[in-house]
Amino acid sequence: MTTTPLDSRISAGQRPPGTRAHLTSPVTQAALRIQNSVLAGSREYLSTLGFQEMMPPIIGPVTDPGVRGAKQIDVDFYGHRYKLMTSVILYKQASLLAFDKIFYVAPNVRLEPLETAGTGRHLAEFTQIDVEVADASREDILDLLQGLLRHIVRHVLRESKADLAALGRDPEVFEALLREEFERISHPDAVAHLRRLQHLQSTDSEIDWEGERLISEQTDRPFFIVGYPKGSRGFTDGESSTEPGVLRNFDLIAPDGFGELCSGGERTYEYRRLIERMRETGENPAKYTWYLDLAREGLRPSAGFGLGLERVTRYLAGLDAAWQANAFPKLPGIVSP
């Protein structure tokens, strides 16, 4: 693995080893088997509920812009500038023209800011379990996600006992997750809680990475932060009709310092409102011709989420970093295979 001056701030303990050492590590192998169980459990749960699995796009004329400081990657597609997918939200909305409930196991590529390389949670190349439901509310999706994560955990506890034991992960840490409802905390309440912890979290922005870690250390089960302020997220997140300036979105935060596992919410879908939200967020509507043509003809109201596969695997396996749950990990700023 080659290093550059960009990654000099990342210690050896935070950096993946060489490919051979990583792939032959018992930790890597146990983590990847657990990850396989996560995928099997996800497909089992969603298929039982009537979801259609679809193959995600890898490139497209546009991709979701709401990626918090990350840069998109352009590719030459027969003389046209296309994007590698940073998120498939726009395509999930389009897919609901065919089916009412869909999911992808979707790869994503984002040039994350260099300061994320040491968080333990960020990769430049990662996978999400992406779900979208027509005519669903945020509350519908919160219930669906809680049920999905509980099913995943039960599946992993049943199918991956030996790997969890090898990694020293005690199944008792999931008792509260399986027994109790996931708390739903408003963004203002989360900000107030962080300030009581002496963390100077802004009231107008997403919970920052350190804030996510701090607040997740205060509980024994996952919980939702709901209702982020409008200026903190991209145009796809729908605004409340009863609380102007508040988005109908959420993050799912894992306990014990593991931080965010998932983001989602209700979508902006009406053509006029999409144009307004694009302009509010500094996006040029001309870039989104393909998507806006669909919206003009009529997109369906929907809600959904993207659940980070490496992050969920890290949490279930009790790993130090998300790169341990990826066969060929790519950390921001580190040149790697």
Side-chain angles (χ1 to χ4, degrees), residues 12-72:
Q14 296 173 315
R15 183 185 294 123
T19 300
R20 179 176 294 277
H22 181 57
L23 290 175
T24 57
S25 165
V27 172
T28 302
Q29 293 168 6
L32 294 180
R33 285 191 294 264
I34 289 170
Q35 187 174 97
N36 189 66
S37 186
V38 170
L39 284 171
S42 299
R43 286 187 164 108
E44 179 180 79
Y45 185 78
L46 293 170
S47 296
T48 298
L49 293 178
F51 280 79
Q52 172 73 30
E53 181 173 4
M54 299 180 68
M55 297 299 103
I58 306 300
I59 63 172
V62 292
T63 185
D64 171 43
V67 290
R68 191 154 68 169
K71 295 180 180 179
Q72 300 174 354

Side-chain angles (χ1 to χ4, degrees), residues 35-231:
Q35 187 174 97
N36 189 66
S37 186
V38 170
L39 284 171
S42 299
R43 286 187 164 108
E44 179 180 79
Y45 185 78
L46 293 170
S47 296
T48 298
L49 293 178
F51 280 79
Q52 172 73 30
E53 181 173 4
M54 299 180 68
M55 297 299 103
I58 306 300
I59 63 172
V62 292
T63 185
D64 171 43
V67 290
R68 191 154 68 169
K71 295 180 180 179
Q72 300 174 354
I73 299 176
D74 292 339
V75 296
D76 186 322
F77 186 70
Y78 301 101
H80 296 271
R81 180 180 292 179
Y82 269 41
K83 305 286 186 182
L84 292 179
M85 289 296 110
T86 61
S87 170
V88 290
I89 290 175
L90 308 184
Y91 288 87
K92 288 196 297 180
Q93 288 183 277
S95 294
L96 294 179
L97 297 172
F99 302 103
D100 291 341
K101 299 188 288 187
I102 63 97
F103 74 98
Y104 303 140
V105 177
N108 297 265
V109 181
R110 303 176 185 177
L111 295 182
E112 298 280 5
L114 289 177
E115 59 267 24
T116 64
T119 65
R121 298 192 297 109
H122 290 83
L123 294 168
E125 183 180 79
F126 61 96
T127 301
Q128 290 194 144
I129 300 168
D130 263 297
V131 174
E132 199 76 13
V133 181
D135 302 314
S137 68
R138 180 181 66 190
E139 284 65 38
D140 294 331
I141 292 299
L142 295 181
D143 291 341
L144 174 68
L145 179 52
Q146 178 178 285
L148 173 61
L149 187 57
R150 283 178 166 172
H151 186 85
I152 288 170
V153 169
R154 291 189 182 101
H155 190 90
V156 168
L157 290 176
R158 184 176 66 248
E159 302 296 330
S160 301
K161 289 180 181 178
D163 289 314
L164 292 171
L167 294 171
R169 192 62 161 155
D170 187 344
E172 290 186 4
V173 301
F174 304 114
E175 284 189 359
L177 178 155
L178 295 171
R179 184 182 64 249
E180 300 177 34
E181 296 292 303
F182 296 2
E183 190 175 2
R184 302 176 184 187
I185 303 170
S186 72
H187 179 268
D189 286 347
V191 170
H193 184 51
L194 283 168
R195 290 186 170 185
R196 288 193 294 271
L197 296 173
Q198 308 303 310
H199 181 73
L200 299 180
Q201 171 65 46
S202 168
T203 59
D204 300 321
S205 63
E206 295 182 284
I207 305 300
D208 60 38
W209 297 303
E210 179 63 13
E212 286 176 359
R213 184 188 66 79
L214 287 171
I215 200 169
S216 74
E217 289 176 340
Q218 309 300 308
T219 182
D220 61 354
R221 66 186 185 279
F223 63 95
F224 297 108
I225 299 176
V226 302
Y228 282 78
K230 186 166 69 170

Side-chain angles (χ1 to χ4, degrees), residues 244-270:
V246 176
L247 298 174
R248 293 281 296 166
N249 61 0
F250 68 88
D251 283 344
L252 174 65
I253 310 296
D256 303 321
F258 285 97
E260 180 202 327
L261 298 179
C262 175
S263 291
E266 296 175 17
R267 312 301 187 193
T268 310
Y269 68 97
E270 297 169 302

